[in-house]
Amino acid sequence: MTASLPVPAPHAPSARAAAERLAGLAVPAGALGRLGELGTWLSAVQGQVPPRPLDDVRLVIFAGDHGVARHGVSAYPPEITAAMVRTFVAGRAGVNALAGAHGVRVRVLDLGVDDDLDGLPPEVGEHKVRRGSGAIHLEDALTAAETAQALAAGRRVAEREVADGAQLLLSGDMGIGNTTPAAALVAAGLGLGAGDVAEVAGRGTGVDDAGLARKREVLGAALERAGERAADPVETLTALGSADLAASVGYVVGAAEAGVPVLLDGLMSVACALTAERIAPGTAAWCVAGHRSPEPAQTLALARLGLDPLLDLGMRLGEGSGAVAAVPLLRSAVALLNDVALLSDLGDLVPTDA
Amino acid sequence: MTASLPVPAPHAPSARAAAERLAGLAVPAGALGRLGELGTWLSAVQGQVPPRPLDDVRLVIFAGDHGVARHGVSAYPPEITAAMVRTFVAGRAGVNALAGAHGVRVRVLDLGVDDDLDGLPPEVGEHKVRRGSGAIHLEDALTAAETAQALAAGRRVAEREVADGAQLLLSGDMGIGNTTPAAALVAAGLGLGAGDVAEVAGRGTGVDDAGLARKREVLGAALERAGERAADPVETLTALGSADLAASVGYVVGAAEAGVPVLLDGLMSVACALTAERIAPGTAAWCVAGHRSPEPAQTLALARLGLDPLLDLGMRLGEGSGAVAAVPLLRSAVALLNDVALLSDLGDLVPTDA
């Protein structure tokens, strides 16, 4: 990926036309709340008023292992990553259940799982960069070439999904230990240093107090080690990220460049969107946030991106689950702008002094 | 309605079995957040683990006019009520759009619209109690006989929907001025008096400062007028309610008695659920809250009922819209408890030390 061309903004005339249509619907002004705003945004990203139905919605889960997982930052052993990739392929994970309920297609891609994943369909490993990314408190996560490769892979994945008809892309993650590099990406994106790690470190899948303390140490050491390189978003990925996170960054950039909106999930997804915005300013305007994570770094990153999540259900599953759970709200917004009567069409039904 | 037999609790053994199943799913403990809790609750109200899919979901909108609407408490003229009933029947209102998107059947019933609604299907007016309910700051909303009639009608409506296959009932409302009597029901339910009206009075569909002040005066006068009668829930409906609100109370009680769960909407729906709980203790255990209303009285009533809304999207449309928007979250909960692998079934996929 050649970094940093700004992404064109969504279509402002469509946003204005959608806001006008919204104001003309047979509902009190502002009564649709966030759903009205979402409808306006969907019109802008589609360049069409009212927005088209979201019939083709796709989630890509970027999977990878993280060297830090062997250093006490997670409640789960790293072997779970490969097992969960197999569970996604079998269609039996949490996010598969949600996706089945809401008509979302799911793909999982192994970018950096520390396992050969024998026996899985070859497309799962098609974009694999390496087995496991570096333990970021001790070494770089990736080489510069691997970062470029992962960014390009993610971008290509988005382009292909769009070419194949995707109207809305979701990004999900799988990787034991991944909240540590994701928190590091957020810290780097916000200009926080080793002294600020308490602000970004959360409990992930449920680490105990000792694990949380260890996670803070690891994050502090990683940020210290990265130093000034954290001021550059691509170098941030090399020093502090991972193959799966870098690919997820490329995917968000690719979607925005292709003019297709992205529905974000939890910390990993939002940390990657923040990094994508650093690489390609304007990307965030193509994003909407699905679910509030209990991870503090997600809230910080969302605030920086100017995004407010649609759901706050205390979920901390990852996998893209919070994004999938929010898909029906986007469909609600589409339905309202399409199907509600205009006051001007109601004729005799509504008194003219209303 | 003969008041006040307690409603049996949802099926505790199913709740326990669902919690066990939840704990055995291939997700970290607690990672499903509210969706996990919802799945457990759905198992309890259905008496079945995992819960059945929610294929038959129905919204009933109880419509009526309110004498207070002629006294400056609303941003809209009362004639809008009849016009909106026609819009629901035509399938062109906000809630129709949402219901279409999410497979929810909508019925509207005229309990007390101040219009003959000529030309609509006769079933719309089948349960009509009167044309307009009394202006509660000046007179009783209903006679005692009308209250009994409306409660019985609502209960019968729920029973019929259940007999016809409904697995989940939603309650919606339509009636210009209805946030005033609904706030009065909440005040009565919480034991608040004329001096406390600022706590329960909100801006409804968007009344200005002068309108809000007028609404507080009307509420204060109404509570003052009702006096000790507000301590009895049925007398509360006679003095401070309306035909449509009383029917909605009966509907919630009827659903709970029939063992069918209720997904609540905004202030009117929740004020009626609070009153239903006063009449038939135990009703609230069959209810879940769909959406946080900006109306302060809804938050107070929810807190009393121990319910926390699933959505908080700033919607203030009424009609049942917030409940319909939340239906996919209940379906998400069903899907998770049904379709996610059990750790015990994953076999070789997951290391046993996980």
Side-chain angles (χ1 to χ4, degrees):
Chain A
M1 172 178 281
T2 55
S4 63
L5 277 187
V7 172
H11 194 236
S14 294
R16 282 192 295 275
E20 271 173 40
R21 184 176 172 89
L22 186 63
L25 298 181
V27 299
L32 302 181
R34 287 292 305 275
L35 295 185
E37 296 166 15
L38 264 183
T40 303
W41 175 78
L42 284 165
S43 294
V45 295
Q46 292 186 0
Q48 182 166 321
V49 183
R52 276 184 298 277
L54 296 169
D55 296 323
D56 192 322
V57 179
R58 304 181 187 206
L59 167 70
V60 178
I61 302 170
F62 295 93
D65 278 301
H66 305 269
V68 294
R70 302 253 176 233
H71 297 268
V73 298
S74 176
Y76 288 84
E79 290 74 17
I80 293 287
T81 303
M84 287 306 303
V85 170
R86 293 182 184 278
T87 308
F88 295 132
V89 172
R92 300 296 308 283
V95 77
N96 298 109
L98 294 170
H102 302 303
V104 174
R105 282 208 245 179
V106 179
R107 287 181 65 193
V108 55
L109 297 176
D110 166 16
L111 270 291
V113 179
D114 191 15
D115 187 297
D116 288 336
L117 291 169
D118 290 334
L120 291 187
E123 57 268 29
V124 172
E126 186 186 357
H127 301 283
K128 187 157 188 161
V129 171
R130 56 186 274 174
R131 272 187 62 147
S133 296
I136 60 173
H137 61 312
L138 304 174
E139 61 190 329
D140 276 3
L142 304 169
T143 67
E146 287 166 343
T147 302
Q149 181 187 347
L151 280 166
R155 194 179 189 173
R156 199 161 58 245
V157 167
E159 287 165 356
R160 279 196 205 164
E161 298 290 358
V162 170
D164 196 39
Q167 299 168 301
L168 174 69
L169 292 178
L170 283 52
S171 60
D173 65 274
M174 183 66 224
I176 299 301
N178 63 8
T179 59
T180 298
L185 297 189
V186 172
L190 300 181
L192 302 177
D196 307 311
V197 295
E199 289 184 49
V200 293
R203 290 182 187 272
T205 47
V207 86
D208 60 14
D209 286 350
L212 181 60
R214 180 75 189 129
K215 189 168 174 180
R216 288 176 180 170
E217 288 170 22
V218 165
L219 274 167
L223 290 167
E224 190 72 36
R225 199 186 57 72
E228 290 303 313
R229 298 162 70 203
D232 178 86
V234 177
E235 292 230 43
T236 295
L237 290 169
T238 299
L240 300 171
S242 66
D244 45 306
L245 293 172
S248 181
V249 171
Y251 173 80
V252 177
V253 172
E257 287 177 338
V260 166
V262 181
L263 174 53
L264 303 175
D265 184 44
L267 171 58
M268 274 52 72
S269 177
V270 171
C272 291
L274 178 66
T275 309
E277 175 70 23
R278 295 175 71 197
I279 291 175
T283 295
W286 296 86
C287 297
V288 67
H291 186 279
R292 170 84 60 194
S293 165
E295 290 290 304
Q298 194 227 24
T299 290
L300 293 172
L302 287 170
R304 173 60 62 96
L305 292 170
L307 300 176
D308 188 28
L310 294 165
L311 295 173
D312 186 358
L313 298 171
M315 296 168 70
R316 47 182 177 75
L317 178 61
E319 307 182 356
S321 57
V324 175
V327 166
L329 295 174
L330 275 66
R331 293 193 174 128
S332 287
V334 170
L336 286 165
L337 265 185
N338 276 274
D339 300 336
V340 176
L342 294 170
L343 280 171
S344 57
D345 290 342
L346 283 183
D348 292 343
L349 294 185
V350 177
T352 50
D353 60 337
Chain B
M1 173 179 281
T2 54
S4 64
L5 277 187
V7 172
H11 194 237
S14 295
R16 282 192 296 273
E20 271 172 40
R21 184 176 172 89
L22 186 63
L25 298 180
V27 299
L32 302 181
R34 287 292 306 274
L35 296 184
E37 297 166 16
L38 264 183
T40 303
W41 174 79
L42 284 164
S43 294
V45 295
Q46 292 185 1
Q48 182 166 322
V49 183
R52 277 184 298 279
L54 295 169
D55 296 323
D56 192 322
V57 179
R58 303 182 187 206
L59 167 70
V60 179
I61 302 170
F62 296 93
D65 278 303
H66 305 268
V68 294
R70 302 254 176 231
H71 296 268
V73 299
S74 176
Y76 288 85
E79 289 73 18
I80 294 289
T81 304
M84 287 307 303
V85 170
R86 293 183 184 278
T87 308
F88 295 132
V89 172
R92 300 295 308 281
V95 76
N96 298 108
L98 294 170
H102 302 304
V104 174
R105 281 209 247 179
V106 180
R107 287 180 64 192
V108 55
L109 297 176
D110 166 16
L111 270 289
V113 180
D114 190 15
D115 188 297
D116 287 336
L117 290 169
D118 291 334
L120 290 188
E123 57 269 27
V124 172
E126 186 187 357
H127 301 283
K128 188 157 187 160
V129 172
R130 55 186 273 174
R131 272 188 62 147
S133 297
I136 60 173
H137 60 312
L138 304 175
E139 61 189 331
D140 276 3
L142 304 170
T143 67
E146 287 166 344
T147 303
Q149 181 187 346
L151 280 165
R155 195 177 187 174
R156 199 160 59 244
V157 168
E159 287 164 356
R160 279 196 205 164
E161 298 290 358
V162 171
D164 196 39
Q167 299 168 302
L168 174 70
L169 291 177
L170 283 53
S171 61
D173 65 275
M174 183 65 224
I176 299 303
N178 64 8
T179 59
T180 298
L185 297 189
V186 172
L190 300 181
L192 302 176
D196 307 312
V197 295
E199 288 184 49
V200 293
R203 289 181 187 273
T205 48
V207 85
D208 61 14
D209 287 349
L212 181 59
R214 181 72 189 132
K215 188 169 174 179
R216 289 176 179 170
E217 288 170 21
V218 165
L219 274 168
L223 291 167
E224 189 72 37
R225 201 186 56 71
E228 290 303 312
R229 298 163 69 203
D232 177 85
V234 177
E235 292 231 43
T236 295
L237 290 169
T238 298
L240 300 172
S242 67
D244 45 304
L245 293 172
S248 182
V249 171
Y251 174 80
V252 178
V253 172
E257 287 177 339
V260 166
V262 181
L263 175 54
L264 302 174
D265 184 43
L267 171 58
M268 274 53 71
S269 176
V270 171
C272 290
L274 177 66
T275 309
E277 175 70 23
R278 295 175 72 198
I279 290 175
T283 296
W286 296 87
C287 298
V288 67
H291 186 278
R292 169 84 60 195
S293 164
E295 289 290 304
Q298 194 228 23
T299 290
L300 293 173
L302 287 170
R304 173 62 61 96
L305 292 170
L307 300 176
D308 189 28
L310 293 166
L311 295 173
D312 186 359
L313 298 170
M315 296 169 69
R316 48 182 176 77
L317 177 60
E319 306 181 356
S321 56
V324 174
V327 166
L329 296 174
L330 274 67
R331 293 193 174 126
S332 287
V334 169
L336 287 165
L337 265 185
N338 276 273
D339 300 336
V340 177
L342 295 170
L343 281 170
S344 57
D345 290 342
L346 282 184
D348 293 342
L349 293 185
V350 177
T352 50
D353 61 337

